[in-house]
């Protein structure tokens, strides 16, 4: 099509359909969409797609096959959506290549919904697809229509969500810019360029109350303003897609499911502050995200949405992708800048802030993926709309990743201020297999753990900080009774020690001392004064470390001491690990009453620490026993025993 | 690093054919003077050679006109770069929080025991190497391991051998 003018957006929008809906003038009446984010693919979505192609060819079916990004309910992947011109949307979950055949034969050929693979119970038992309300409306695409994912609102997992930034994820084919445009994409930039001065665009962001989604929650508008005020021939916009926080995957999903939204946000930022170069720094561990965002850049360039004189309005802005080579500290903005400059990614003290002196010494804005993705909506709907969402101090919505011991693993977007309880129980479905909620870890290695006593806490920047945790980038990991909080603190400290760049003494040595104490505690050598000692050193590191990594590194220790002190005391005073995790403090034995002499434990034992003879044809077997002296406490016997006869005390 | 037999760069022996060096030189020319040239060239070099041998690091340093120690410093700082020859199959074992909570550490230990090597090492037959990483972003499917580009989700201790058997006959269960 070549370079677009503003009026061309409408033309494309009228013509293009999207993966998650169908147009009445499309050739086929039915469309089958496979959701192909990384989680989907890891669960077999590619195989599902291949099986689909095969059966469509074989049976010569007139259906369109398409793909879209992830819906967020990763737990149930691979997911396949069936859309038709006349019938409601039906979604199938946990689909295998074999199931594809069954589903197509039943749903498409036999016109019967196949209950056993349904994503949502509300469609269960439908005899005839035309009667599968309550999502009465077929997903026929029209500009007034409410959105391709409306049916999801019937499902507990989605009911309380407020999907704004993630609106397109799972609805559009992320390889096609036209589909983003069909969902009103790039109209925010068009609006900014034609109706607003740069100052007005900046004010809109400032008044909206948008705060950075990458961790610290710094007001985005203030950062932009700082940068705008500096005079310079070159300014840079960097999108931080390093997503280093383990247990977090919001940014990956946004890059994979709706890459254009990030580019549009960056372009608006460039207009507001007067920048002309953009860089997206993506971690190498995200190959699909790199592919999709690179493809998105190529397509945007072809349409002239990146490049010179965008929309003929005089804005020059282009974006490049850089691949981060894999160190946690590179997510820190000054370290990231060093890494982009092709040096070792070590942080430097601030000020000067990057907004004044950043990449190659030029004024530079660094924002997180989600922050940029939120920008187009604010420009479209206005700052008032945005500041009406969320809590007192934290405006808008936030995407969280739910992982760990939770029933509905996945991605959720809710208004800020939503309670922990709502997230974990109503949306997340609670702890699976009858387990008991113990702690919620938020903010990764810089964050902390909060306990069951704080389920009513509204999730926003201030409330979590008050509890000694932080909201961080939005990674939430649920822990149940089988997780030891002392060991968890140790786990995070080991993590930051490994990732510390080693420049400053508090971080390099202080963390080492804390590690020594914690290790001692988990090995049953803890001393009475250890808790006080940990707190003292932790506070000292927080005050004196050079960068955010060190300044927040003690948080996991301090917050677990604060909320789970009795567990520390049990380790130190009673030499017991209540969660039965710390190896030095537990013993394994075999219950002769229930043991069936199968011999599995013996086969799994790496150190020949199990005596006994299995029962086989012609041999009665001999009782099994664990030799305490030889046991290395790996727990293999415990996990392979089919009757639960290996005891851990 | 092996210092005994320094091979002349680009002389074209079996492991480092001259064509590969030619491609590398083109990349160096392409990126020289551009933003973040060093890391980008190094990344290309790793794609070409599979890892960053000494000869290659020198060639990059010469080509870009920077001290070799700078290239070496970057190679050892980032876990993405490897200065050792790769195994045929690279096993990545996630040690991120979600995987930790679901038994990722036990999975890593089990892998080490089965293969008889420690994390970061390669088996003597060069079949497998084990690399703990901090999170690959599929936390919802924890615990995960990744072999080459295939992700295995919700791995349990009992499943590991079966997975390895797909790559090497040595680990087929003898029942
Ligand atoms: C150790 C460390 C790691 C960080 N990792 C990330 C990261 O992976 N992604 C991110 O967006 N911000 C990360 N940050 C925060 C950045 O320094 C920076 O504040 C952020 O990218 C600003 O964007 P925002 O204002 O949109 O949140 C990290 C900070 C520290 C101290
Ligand atoms: S914690 Fe293992 S994939 Fe994220």
């Amino acid at each position: 099509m070549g370079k677009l003018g503003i009026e061309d957006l409408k033309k494309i929008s009228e013509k293009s359909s999207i993966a998650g809906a169908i147009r009445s003038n499309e050739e086929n009446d039915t469309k089958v969409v496979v959701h192909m984010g990384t989680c989907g693919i890891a669960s077999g979505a590619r195989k599902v797609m291949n099986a689909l192609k095969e059966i469509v060819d074989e049976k010569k079916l007139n259906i369109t096959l398409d793909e879209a990004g992830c819906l967020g309910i990763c737990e149930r992947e691979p997911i396949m959506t069936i859309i038709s011109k006349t019938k409601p949307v039906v979604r199938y979950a946990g689909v295998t290549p074999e199931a594809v055949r069954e589903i197509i034969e039943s749903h498409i050929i036999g016109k019967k919904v196949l209950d056993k693979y349904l994503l949502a119970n509300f469609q269960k038992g439908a005899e005839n697809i035309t009667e599968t309300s309550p999502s009465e409306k077929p997903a026929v695409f029209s500009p007034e229509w409410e959105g391709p994912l409306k049916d999801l609102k019937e499902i507990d997992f989605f009911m309380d969500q407020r999907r704004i930034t993630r609106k397109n994820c799972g609805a559009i084919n992320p390889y096609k810019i036209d589909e983003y445009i069909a969902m009103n994409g790039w109209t925010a930039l068009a609006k900014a360029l034609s109706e607003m001065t740069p100052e007005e665009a900046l004010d809109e962001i400032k008044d909206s109350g948008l705060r950075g989604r990458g961790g610290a929650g710094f007001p985005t508008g203030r950062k932009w303003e700082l940068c705008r005020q500096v005079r310079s021939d070159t300014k840079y916009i960097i999108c931080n897609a390093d997503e280093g926080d383990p247990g977090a995957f919001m940014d990956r999903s946004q890059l994979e499911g709706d890459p254009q939204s990030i580019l549009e946000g960056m372009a608006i930022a460039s207009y507001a502050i007067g920048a002309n170069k953009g860089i997206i720094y993506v971690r190498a561990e995200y190959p699909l995200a790199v592919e999709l965002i690179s493809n998105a850049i190529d397509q945007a360039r072809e349409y002239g949405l990146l490049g010179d004189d965008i929309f003929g309005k005089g804005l020059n802005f282009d974006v490049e992708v850089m691949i981060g080579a894999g160190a946690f500290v590179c997510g820190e903005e000054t370290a990231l800048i060093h890494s982009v400059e092709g040096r070792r990614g070590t942080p430097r003290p601030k000020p000067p802030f990057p907004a004044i002196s950043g990449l190659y010494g030029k004024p530079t804005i660094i924002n997180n993926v989600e922050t940029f993705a939120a920008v187009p909506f604010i420009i479209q709907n206005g700052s008032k709309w945005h500041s009406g969402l969320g809590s007192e101090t934290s405006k808008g919505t936030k995407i969280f990743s739910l992982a760990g011991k939770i029933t509905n693993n996945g991605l959720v977007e809710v208004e800020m201020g939503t309670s922990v309880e709502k997230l974990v129980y109503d949306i997340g479905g609670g702890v699976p297999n009858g387990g008991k909620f113990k702690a919620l870890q938020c903010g990764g290695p810089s964050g902390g753990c909060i306990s069951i006593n704080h389920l009513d806490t509204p999730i926003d920047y201030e409330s979590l900080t008050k509890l000694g945790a932080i909201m961080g980038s939005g990674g939430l990991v649920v822990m149940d009774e089988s997780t030891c909080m002392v060991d968890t603190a140790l786990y995070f400290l080991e993590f930051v020690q490994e990732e510390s760049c080693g420049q400053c003494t508090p971080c390099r040595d202080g963390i080492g001392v804390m590690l020594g104490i914690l290790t001692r505690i988990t090995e049953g050598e803890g001393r009475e004064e250890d808790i006080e000692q940990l707190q003292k050193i932790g506070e000292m590191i927080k005050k004196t470390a050079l960068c955010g990594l060190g300044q927040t590194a003690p948080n996991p220790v301090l917050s677990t001491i604060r909320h789970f002190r009795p567990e520390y005391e049990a380790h130190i005073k009673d030499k017991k690990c209540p969660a039965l995790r710390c190896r030095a403090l537990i013993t394994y034995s075999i219950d002769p009453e229930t043991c069936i002499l199968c011999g599995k434990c013996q086969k799994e034992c790496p150190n020949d620490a199990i005596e006994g003879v299995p029962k086989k044809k012609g041999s009665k077997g001999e009782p099994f026993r664990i030799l305490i002296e030889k046991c290395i406490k790996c727990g293999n016997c415990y996990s392979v025993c089919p009757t639960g006869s290996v005891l851990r005390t | 690093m092996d210092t005994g037999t320094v091979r002349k760069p680009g002389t074209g022996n079996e492991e480092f054919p001259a064509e590969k060096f030619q491609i590398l030189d083109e990349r160096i020319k392409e990126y020289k003077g551009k933003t973040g040239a060093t890391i980008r060239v190094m990344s290309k070099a790793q794609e070409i050679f599979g890892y960053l041998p000494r000869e290659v690091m020198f060639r990059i340093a010469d080509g870009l006109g920077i001290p070799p120690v700078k290239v070496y410093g970057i190679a050892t700082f980032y876990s993405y770069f490897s200065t050792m020859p790769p195994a045929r199959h690279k096993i990545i074992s996630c040690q991120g929080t979600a995987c930790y909570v679901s038994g990722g550490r036990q999975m890593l230990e089990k892998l080490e025991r089965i293969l008889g090597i420690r994390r970061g090492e390669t088996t003597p037959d060069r079949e497998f190497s084990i690399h703990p990483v901090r999170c690959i972003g599929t936390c919802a499917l924890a615990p995960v391991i990744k072999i080459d580009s295939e992700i295995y989700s919700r791995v349990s201790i009992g499943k590991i051998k079966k997975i390895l058997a797909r790559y090497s006959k040595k680990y087929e269960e003898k029942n």
Side-chain angles (χ1 to χ4, degrees):
Chain A
M1 182 151 204
K3 207 164 146 44
L4 301 192
I6 289 177
E7 61 297 339
D8 295 322
L9 289 178
K10 196 149 175 257
K11 283 184 214 146
I12 293 175
S13 177
E14 273 161 11
K15 225 175 55 216
S16 172
S17 184
I18 61 165
I22 204 158
R23 272 185 188 280
S24 42
N25 59 0
E26 268 180 55
E27 189 187 339
N28 292 327
D29 286 343
T30 310
K31 176 142 81 174
V32 182
V33 178
V34 182
H35 297 271
M36 302 245 248
T38 296
C39 283
I41 292 171
S43 310
R46 279 227 173 93
K47 292 184 193 120
V48 166
M49 186 55 115
N50 290 338
L52 258 173
K53 284 187 184 143
E54 221 169 80
I55 190 165
V56 167
D57 274 352
E58 179 193 314
K59 309 233 178 224
K60 307 214 166 23
L61 299 171
N62 292 325
I63 53 181
T64 310
L65 301 184
D66 208 344
E67 65 174 279
C70 121
L71 287 168
I73 186 154
C74 312
E75 180 76 32
R76 309 281 306 276
E77 299 278 9
I79 295 174
M80 188 170 101
T81 299
I82 302 187
I83 301 155
S84 108
K85 278 185 195 162
T86 50
K87 295 160 194 161
V89 175
V90 176
R91 298 182 198 269
Y92 291 104
V95 180
T96 58
E98 298 76 48
V100 167
R101 189 161 280 273
E102 271 185 82
I103 293 171
I104 296 298
E105 278 171 359
S106 169
H107 188 124
I108 306 277
I109 301 170
K111 308 237 180 287
K112 261 202 178 106
V113 170
L114 190 60
D115 286 357
K116 66 176 172 181
Y117 295 111
L118 279 180
L119 171 66
N121 282 332
F122 75 90
Q123 290 176 324
K124 232 182 186 148
E127 278 312 305
N128 185 322
I129 298 168
T130 43
E131 288 166 15
T132 41
S133 8
S135 79
E136 349 46 41
K137 257 201 189 158
V140 176
F141 192 76
S142 77
E144 301 84 55
W145 163 68
E146 289 181 56
L149 303 177
K150 197 176 151 245
D151 60 302
L152 293 175
K153 277 281 173 201
E154 307 289 334
I155 305 173
D156 288 348
F157 181 75
F158 294 95
M159 211 172 272
D160 294 311
Q161 288 195 46
R162 196 70 200 268
R163 291 170 112 252
I164 295 171
T165 311
R166 281 185 61 75
K167 168 184 88 144
N168 293 337
C169 289
I172 63 173
N173 182 330
Y175 284 97
K176 298 180 181 164
I177 187 170
D178 285 6
E179 302 205 358
Y180 178 68
I181 294 175
M183 295 296 287
N184 286 327
W186 288 103
T187 55
L189 179 68
K191 178 175 173 187
L193 291 180
S194 53
E195 297 171 24
M196 298 169 162
T197 63
E199 289 82 3
E200 283 167 349
L202 177 65
D203 283 343
E204 203 74 67
I205 299 301
K206 236 170 65 188
D207 297 342
S208 73
L210 177 66
R211 295 170 67 176
R213 302 298 193 229
F218 191 82
T220 305
R222 276 235 311 275
K223 191 189 273 184
W224 291 13
E225 189 171 40
L226 209 62
C227 189
R228 177 172 173 77
Q229 286 161 352
V230 188
R231 264 174 211 281
S232 173
D233 52 344
T234 308
K235 290 182 189 176
Y236 293 99
I237 306 254
I238 298 180
C239 172
N240 189 343
D242 195 43
E243 193 151 63
D245 174 3
F249 48 103
M250 305 76 46
D251 295 349
R252 172 178 66 66
S253 182
Q254 194 74 26
L255 288 157
E256 290 174 3
D258 191 12
Q260 295 286 343
S261 64
I262 303 160
L263 299 179
E264 190 179 0
M266 291 176 76
I268 293 168
S270 82
Y271 179 61
I273 67 165
N276 29 30
K277 285 208 176 106
I279 288 162
I280 300 187
Y281 187 91
V282 193
R283 55 195 300 228
E285 285 86 351
Y286 287 178
L288 183 62
V290 171
E291 180 187 323
L292 276 153
I293 192 77
S294 306
N295 174 72
I297 291 174
D298 289 344
Q299 294 191 347
R301 273 190 197 142
E302 205 157 297
Y303 274 169
L305 297 168
L306 294 175
D308 288 340
D309 196 20
I310 297 170
F311 285 133
K313 298 279 182 193
L315 176 68
N316 303 330
F317 180 66
D318 205 354
V319 176
E320 271 183 82
V321 174
M322 278 218 51
I323 299 178
F328 174 65
V329 75
C330 285
E332 197 279 338
E333 50 194 22
T334 60
L336 191 151
I337 288 173
H338 286 165
S339 175
V340 173
E341 289 171 348
R343 303 193 268 160
R344 282 173 54 132
T346 45
R348 64 160 173 79
K350 291 181 282 193
F353 290 97
I356 311 287
S357 171
L359 188 57
Y360 304 113
K362 302 288 181 191
T364 304
I365 283 294
I366 298 195
N367 277 121
N368 172 255
V369 168
E370 205 186 322
T371 314
F372 282 122
V375 166
F377 296 97
I378 298 174
I379 298 294
Q380 267 164 9
N381 300 309
S383 55
K384 276 225 177 62
W385 164 81
H386 188 261
S387 59
L389 294 167
S391 70
E392 185 63 36
T393 55
S394 313
K395 299 303 183 190
T397 58
K398 173 85 192 83
I399 306 173
F400 294 96
S401 56
L402 289 176
K405 301 284 174 145
I406 187 147
T407 307
N408 299 327
N409 274 286
L411 288 165
V412 302
E413 180 171 1
V414 291
E415 273 191 60
M416 295 260 201
T418 302
S419 72
V420 173
E421 183 163 17
K422 183 154 241 166
L423 265 173
V424 172
Y425 287 94
D426 298 349
I427 298 176
V431 180
N433 307 326
K436 226 176 130 212
F437 175 90
K438 179 169 179 180
L440 180 71
Q441 208 286 331
C442 35
S446 311
C449 294
I450 60 174
S451 75
I452 194 154
N453 300 328
H454 300 287
L455 282 180
D456 56 351
T457 308
I459 298 209
D460 62 18
Y461 296 103
E462 277 66 30
S463 309
L464 288 176
T465 308
K466 239 187 266 160
L467 291 176
I470 60 166
M471 184 154 80
S473 60
L476 301 178
V477 180
V478 176
M479 300 176 171
D480 69 0
E481 300 270 299
S482 70
T483 307
C484 166
M485 301 319 286
V486 183
D487 188 57
T488 301
L490 181 66
Y491 161 79
F492 279 116
L493 264 198
E494 278 173 353
F495 182 98
V496 281
Q497 191 190 38
E498 214 162 276
E499 298 290 343
S500 164
C501 72
Q503 288 185 101
C504 74
T505 320
C507 182
R508 189 183 54 231
D509 297 343
I511 290 173
V513 176
M514 288 179 81
L515 256 179
I517 299 177
L518 272 174
T519 308
R520 195 163 75 208
I521 297 177
T522 57
E523 286 175 351
E525 311 285 330
R527 301 178 200 144
E528 203 70 41
E529 69 276 10
D530 279 350
I531 297 182
E532 269 50 60
Q533 199 66 19
L534 282 172
Q535 286 175 316
K536 229 168 77 192
I537 304 169
E539 291 301 339
M540 192 269 298
I541 298 175
K542 279 181 83 156
K543 282 194 204 106
T544 52
L546 174 124
C547 83
L549 176 85
Q551 287 156 10
T552 56
N555 284 352
V557 182
L558 298 176
S559 76
T560 45
I561 292 179
R562 183 163 155 197
H563 300 295
F564 300 90
R565 195 179 178 112
E567 205 165 328
Y568 277 82
E569 285 165 351
H571 283 76
I572 295 171
K573 292 193 189 127
D574 316 333
K575 312 291 176 212
K576 285 257 177 267
C577 173
L580 301 171
R581 273 276 148 189
C582 296
R583 279 181 191 170
L585 306 180
I586 52 176
T587 41
Y588 288 93
S589 59
I590 292 173
D591 182 356
E593 297 286 309
T594 56
C595 172
I596 54 166
L597 306 182
C598 70
K600 283 209 172 112
C601 55
Q602 197 172 41
K603 230 170 104 194
E604 273 302 318
C605 180
N607 208 30
D608 299 330
I610 302 181
E611 278 191 337
V613 178
K615 194 156 117 184
K616 277 197 198 126
K617 248 193 218 131
S619 143
K620 261 175 46 216
E622 272 168 46
F624 281 81
R625 195 168 73 86
I626 294 177
L627 306 169
I628 307 274
E629 336 66 76
K630 287 189 87 178
C631 175
I632 58 164
K633 301 181 182 175
C634 66
N636 280 2
C637 51
Y638 183 82
S639 38
V640 296
C641 179
T643 57
S645 305
V646 177
L647 309 175
R648 196 160 60 170
T649 43
Chain B
M1 210 186 285
D2 174 11
T3 47
T5 51
V6 175
R7 288 151 296 199
K8 270 262 160 35
T11 46
N13 56 40
E14 208 185 305
E15 205 171 346
F16 305 118
E19 305 86 74
K20 286 194 177 179
F21 275 98
Q22 248 170 26
I23 304 175
L24 175 63
D25 289 341
E26 281 164 28
R27 293 289 161 271
I28 293 175
K29 243 197 245 143
E30 182 184 334
Y31 287 116
K32 191 167 181 175
K34 286 213 180 131
T35 9
T38 319
I39 290 186
R40 291 164 99 176
V41 171
M42 287 171 69
S43 166
K44 289 289 168 204
Q46 183 153 303
E47 256 170 48
I48 299 168
F49 293 91
Y51 71 112
L52 297 174
R54 182 190 166 87
E55 291 82 348
V56 170
M57 287 195 274
F58 272 107
R59 184 75 151 230
I60 295 173
D62 280 351
L64 295 174
I66 53 175
V69 63
K70 224 179 132 187
V71 178
Y72 186 70
I74 291 173
T76 48
F77 180 81
Y78 293 106
S79 57
Y80 179 73
F81 293 118
S82 165
T83 55
M84 303 278 278
R88 264 177 289 278
H89 303 293
K90 185 172 173 184
I91 306 179
I92 282 173
S93 168
C94 180
Q95 300 298 307
T97 322
C99 290
Y100 157 76
V101 168
S102 312
R105 205 188 265 172
Q106 285 86 315
M107 234 49 77
L108 177 58
E109 285 168 3
K110 176 83 186 182
L111 274 169
E112 290 179 331
R113 274 200 303 270
I114 296 180
L115 297 175
I117 50 170
R118 300 266 307 147
R119 52 203 77 177
E121 294 177 351
T122 302
T123 52
D125 61 2
R126 279 231 207 152
E127 202 61 49
F128 295 105
S129 57
I130 310 178
H131 309 265
V133 296
R134 55 194 160 81
C135 173
I136 58 169
T138 51
C139 324
L141 311 173
V144 296
I145 62 173
K146 187 172 169 186
I147 304 186
D148 304 330
S149 58
E150 187 85 16
I151 296 174
Y152 295 90
S153 51
R154 300 205 182 87
V155 181
S156 64
I157 294 214
K159 267 202 255 171
I160 290 187
K161 260 204 177 142
K162 244 189 230 140
I163 296 174
L164 292 179
R166 292 193 190 183
Y167 297 86
S168 164
K169 282 214 165 73
K170 218 164 128 187
Y171 301 97
E172 274 169 16
E173 297 274 335
K174 304 167 198 80
N175 277 343

